[in-house]
Amino acid sequence: MARQSENWAPIWAGLAGLVLLVCGAPAWGWWAEGHALLTRAAVQALPAEMPDFFRQGGEAMALISPEPDAEKNRALPHLQNAEHPEHYLDLELLKGQPLPEKRYDFVKSCAEAGLDPAQVGLVPYAVAEWTEKLALAFAQHRRWPENTLVQAECLIAAGHLAHYTEDLCQPLHTTVHYAGRAGADGKSPRSGIHEKMDALPERLALDPQELAKGLVPVAADSLMPAILAQLRASNALVDSVYALEGELGNLESPRVRALITERSRAAVSFTAALYLRAWEISAAIELPDWLKR
Ligand SMILES: [Zn+2]
């Protein structure tokens, strides 16, 4: 039997490859180097009022920023299940119904509308919650400015936050048409458009310094309203992405470069605005006495 299963091994491997070819790769979001370069640019865009260790931590944050995609791993079924919907929100499914401020109010509103929140997606809540996790880490930095464990906590939270802000600025992460125009059954046909878009910041080798140039990020003056405004702005570009569908593989196309540069700069400003917002929020956080570092 052992021999037989050994003989089957290459066939299974071939079949697995074929399944991947037919079904396409899973929707990961921007490729890892795309996330990394957008995160580097967001840190470069920060003003001097942000702490030095943070402004010098761009490389660490860039390395961390692809990690939420690594959490969608079949060997980690509970984490994979929780993590998958954190990367998108298919706005059209809500049919204009407003998004509540908080995660479990959203889950309740989905139940009332007969929607599955995991299918709709939860990226605005991932962005809001990671902004507040970063604010908590910043509050600890205000108390223990030299503590390197606290500094690492800030960089890790900021890397995660960057992932979700960057995904939200990819228009195909905000729509039912995420992988080809959805049909009457609501299913997106996996046309390959999503993978082409995800690859572009990395394939175009966008320069973080260029992306950050001229940006003057200001702290978002609210949290969820600012996130939802970005989500709508991203969703408003879905048609522009489809208008370029036939050109997305052409790295020489000026229209493709313009679209991806615009989305990348939107992601960079949005990420930097939330880093600034987290720093502001942190000034008002009272840490409990039992918290030690
Ligand atoms: Zn993602």
Side-chain angles (χ1 to χ4, degrees):
M1 288 302 285
R3 272 180 71 118
Q4 199 177 15
S5 48
E6 270 165 35
N7 290 342
W8 276 94
I11 297 170
W12 286 126
L15 277 178
L18 189 67
V19 167
L20 258 183
L21 269 179
V22 171
C23 301
W28 292 120
W30 301 122
W31 283 6
E33 188 47 36
H35 275 296
L37 71 88
L38 295 174
T39 307
R40 274 185 208 110
V43 179
Q44 287 179 21
L46 289 174
E49 71 197 68
M50 291 296 276
D52 279 349
F53 88 88
F54 195 77
R55 290 172 61 224
Q56 286 156 17
E59 272 318 297
M61 289 183 245
L63 280 172
I64 294 292
S65 62
E67 191 166 299
D69 282 337
E71 293 176 4
K72 294 181 276 178
N73 186 311
R74 259 178 252 169
L76 309 167
H78 303 88
L79 183 58
Q80 182 191 37
N81 181 262
E83 187 59 30
H84 191 267
E86 301 287 86
H87 300 243
Y88 57 84
L89 188 134
D90 294 355
L91 201 52
E92 299 85 353
L93 292 176
L94 297 175
K95 300 195 170 91
Q97 158 192 335
L99 275 121
E101 281 271 333
K102 293 172 189 158
R103 178 182 291 261
Y104 289 104
D105 292 335
F106 172 70
V107 169
K108 208 193 289 174
S109 76
C110 284
E112 284 162 6
L115 292 167
D116 171 4
Q119 195 197 343
V120 180
L122 291 131
V123 66
Y125 303 98
V127 171
E129 292 157 15
W130 278 99
T131 304
E132 292 186 350
K133 284 186 199 188
L134 176 59
L136 180 65
F138 275 151
Q140 295 174 53
H141 172 70
R142 288 178 187 272
R143 183 186 283 186
W144 298 288
E146 305 306 324
N147 187 305
T148 52
L149 175 61
V150 169
Q151 291 178 5
E153 286 186 76
C154 294
L155 301 179
I156 290 168
H160 279 79
L161 171 57
H163 185 97
Y164 301 111
T165 52
E166 289 155 10
D167 274 2
L168 185 147
C169 291
Q170 208 283 44
L172 300 184
H173 279 244
T174 69
T175 177
V176 288
H177 309 294
Y178 56 88
R181 289 284 185 191
D185 61 356
K187 287 191 181 143
S188 192
R190 291 197 169 271
S191 65
I193 189 172
H194 193 108
E195 291 77 5
K196 280 185 192 154
M197 272 294 283
D198 278 348
L200 279 164
E202 179 170 329
R203 292 188 68 211
L204 289 168
L206 297 181
D207 175 6
Q209 220 166 343
E210 279 295 310
L211 288 177
K213 204 189 247 174
L215 292 181
V216 186
V218 285
D221 57 5
S222 59
L223 194 48
M224 196 49 97
I227 295 166
L228 296 181
Q230 278 296 333
L231 179 79
R232 293 200 182 92
S234 187
N235 180 267
L237 290 170
V238 170
D239 285 344
S240 308
V241 174
Y242 277 91
L244 292 180
E245 185 166 11
E247 279 178 56
L248 292 175
N250 176 8
L251 300 183
E252 304 303 321
S253 161
R255 299 197 303 169
V256 169
R257 180 171 282 272
L259 172 75
I260 299 303
T261 303
E262 187 280 331
R263 283 295 78 206
S264 295
R265 278 170 67 85
V268 169
S269 323
F270 181 41
T271 307
L274 290 181
Y275 287 168
L276 288 163
R277 175 80 184 162
W279 180 242
E280 277 184 8
I281 296 171
S282 71
I285 297 176
E286 276 184 45
L287 294 172
D289 290 339
W290 47 257
L291 193 68
K292 305 283 182 231
R293 283 291 180 272

